[in-house]
């Protein structure tokens, strides 16, 4: 089963450009870059949690500090950071993503 992800070549080309931009801007070795990009995903996940708590008014000290639009933006940042990390560790990121999506869909939707 192959799904149409809506993530086309243009999206992956942009991800590649972002990866190249990061490569040019940071002074990390390739190994450090891989690790830092994986850690960036965790940082963004924390921002999702913070935004969700703010949208739900769950922190009495901070109050209603975020909206659900903020949560959506932070979720997009998690996805983008993950895509850049994937592109950092494999030159076939688009193919690898599609293969994994297909495997999860087949297992879950069959």
């Amino acid at each position: 089963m192959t799904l149409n992800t809506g993530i086309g070549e243009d999206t992956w080309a942009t991800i590649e450009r972002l990866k190249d931009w990061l490569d040019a801007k940071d002074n990390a070795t390739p190994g450090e870059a891989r690790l830092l990009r994986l850690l960036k995903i965790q940082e963004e996940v924390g921002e999702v949690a913070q935004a969700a708590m703010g949208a739900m008014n769950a922190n009495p000290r901070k109050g209603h500090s975020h909206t659900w639009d903020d949560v959506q933006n932070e979720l997009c940042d998690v996805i983008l950071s993950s895509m850049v990390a994937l592109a950092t560790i494999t030159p076939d990121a688009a193919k690898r993503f599609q293969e994994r999506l297909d495997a999860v869909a087949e297992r879950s939707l069959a």
Side-chain angles (χ1 to χ4, degrees):
M1 167 190 307
T2 299
L3 298 177
N4 181 355
T5 63
I7 300 175
E9 290 180 25
D10 289 346
T11 300
W12 284 106
T14 301
I15 294 299
E16 190 65 29
R17 288 184 21 237
L18 288 168
K19 180 191 75 70
D20 291 344
W21 176 79
L22 285 169
D23 288 344
K25 291 290 183 184
D26 67 27
N27 294 316
T29 66
E32 291 169 338
R34 284 190 299 267
L35 176 60
L36 291 171
R37 291 175 193 168
L38 294 173
L39 292 172
K40 182 66 175 172
I41 298 166
Q42 183 62 43
E43 177 191 358
E44 295 297 343
V45 169
E47 291 177 12
V48 170
Q50 183 180 28
M53 290 178 68
M56 296 179 70
N57 197 19
N59 184 336
R61 185 173 55 83
K62 293 184 180 180
H64 189 83
S65 59
H66 291 77
T67 66
W68 287 105
D69 283 342
D70 295 325
V71 175
Q72 292 172 33
N73 287 334
E74 295 301 340
L75 285 168
C76 289
D77 289 349
V78 170
I79 295 165
L80 291 169
S81 296
S82 298
M83 291 173 80
V84 169
L86 183 60
T88 298
I89 64 173
T90 180
D92 296 321
K95 180 179 181 235
R96 183 69 181 110
F97 178 81
Q98 188 65 54
E99 289 170 350
R100 185 65 184 152
L101 177 62
D102 291 345
V104 169
E106 187 167 328
R107 178 184 69 220
S108 301
L109 303 175

